[in-house]
Amino acid sequence: MNLTSWRARYTPPSSERRQLLMEYLPGCEYSVDLACYRGEVLAGVSRRKSLTSPVQTILDRADLIEHSAQLVAAFGLHGLINVQYKDAQDGSPKLLEINARASGGIAMSCLSGLNLPFIAYQACLQDGKRSALPVPSYGLRVAEAPSAFIVPEWAPQ
């Protein structure tokens, strides 16, 4: 397809047709994995994705988990939920998407010590009653592999 036919195919027929654009977000991306029960967050883990490698870091980002909890409550979400953010140029996190499903990287979040699938499963079996949760480990560097693993401290980011 040449450039002229491409433009004809993808250019709106009139200048009145509205388009949705998203601002450019140059910063880090964050993934927040949550175990929820009927609109309430039972446990959550946030991961920062590296801009240059597959290594991610488990962080204590209470602000992202709190914002995610507000979204979970507003939409009445249930089960394993994933919310993604990305930093704007000024460093403030911006919402990218809400996924009403487990993320592909949930195994990395579980390395924090919070087994989110098990927490959600237990809540369903116990009609929302909470069990004591372990304190999650923060600062862990993790990466996806055939099975998730912890990256040694000496490994390059």
Side-chain angles (χ1 to χ4, degrees), residues 1-56:
M1 179 182 302
N2 66 30
L3 184 60
T4 305
S5 61
W6 182 88
R7 280 189 181 144
R9 184 173 180 179
Y10 293 105
T11 301
S14 82
S15 61
E16 294 176 17
R17 187 169 175 185
R18 298 180 73 175
Q19 295 185 13
L20 175 66
L21 298 175
M22 183 175 156
E23 70 178 292
Y24 172 65
L25 302 171
C28 292
E29 186 176 335
Y30 300 88
S31 189
V32 178
D33 292 313
L34 305 163
C36 305
Y37 186 81
R38 298 185 182 181
E40 181 186 357
V41 171
L42 303 172
V45 176
S46 58
R47 294 178 279 119
R48 181 183 60 222
K49 299 178 179 184
S50 170
L51 294 173
T52 58
S53 81
V55 175
Q56 298 184 26

Side-chain angles (χ1 to χ4, degrees), residues 140-153:
L140 292 177
R141 295 177 49 229
V142 296
E144 268 191 276
S147 63
F149 61 92
I150 296 176
V151 178
E153 286 300 317

